[in-house]
Amino acid sequence: LEDGTEKHPVTPGELLPARELYADLLLAAGRYPEARAAYDAALERERGRARSIFGAARAAELAGDRAGARTRYQRFLALMEHADGDRPEIGEARKFLLP
């Protein structure tokens, strides 16, 4: 239903988009390639959403796609450059990107 509903450009988006929640479920179920695809689909509608970018990175990492995970973690960290440094997701992304 969310895909069929246009959002006015001035109003805020959903707090937790349905596709992102679906991706979370797939990730928890160990269906990593499907989770990554669902996060990417969520990002088509909600561009630059940190939670989806991190989820896509984590799903790529767990699916064994190190290059895809690296790209997404770098994008996540660039987006979170001025965020609270104690967020666990930031630590996970930095840890993955260490040489």
Side-chain angles (χ1 to χ4, degrees):
L1 289 172
E2 275 182 8
D3 288 346
T5 306
E6 286 297 318
K7 185 190 88 54
H8 190 277
V10 177
T11 62
E14 300 82 14
L15 293 178
L16 285 172
R19 286 194 184 277
E20 187 176 85
L21 291 172
Y22 179 59
D24 290 346
L25 177 68
L26 292 169
L27 187 66
R31 295 167 58 182
Y32 309 127
E34 293 170 81
R36 181 178 51 188
Y39 284 119
D40 287 342
L43 287 165
E44 287 293 318
R45 183 173 166 100
E46 303 287 337
R47 298 192 192 289
R49 190 169 162 79
R51 193 172 182 282
S52 289
I53 295 168
F54 179 81
R58 182 77 176 128
E61 176 185 1
L62 293 171
D65 179 6
R66 294 197 54 80
R70 176 172 292 284
T71 300
R72 287 168 174 85
Y73 279 134
Q74 287 171 335
R75 182 175 169 203
F76 173 75
L77 288 176
L79 184 64
M80 302 302 286
E81 182 178 358
H82 300 291
D84 296 335
D86 62 344
R87 293 181 63 140
E89 297 90 349
I90 293 173
E92 287 182 48
R94 287 180 178 151
K95 183 179 175 185
F96 179 86
L97 293 172
L98 287 175

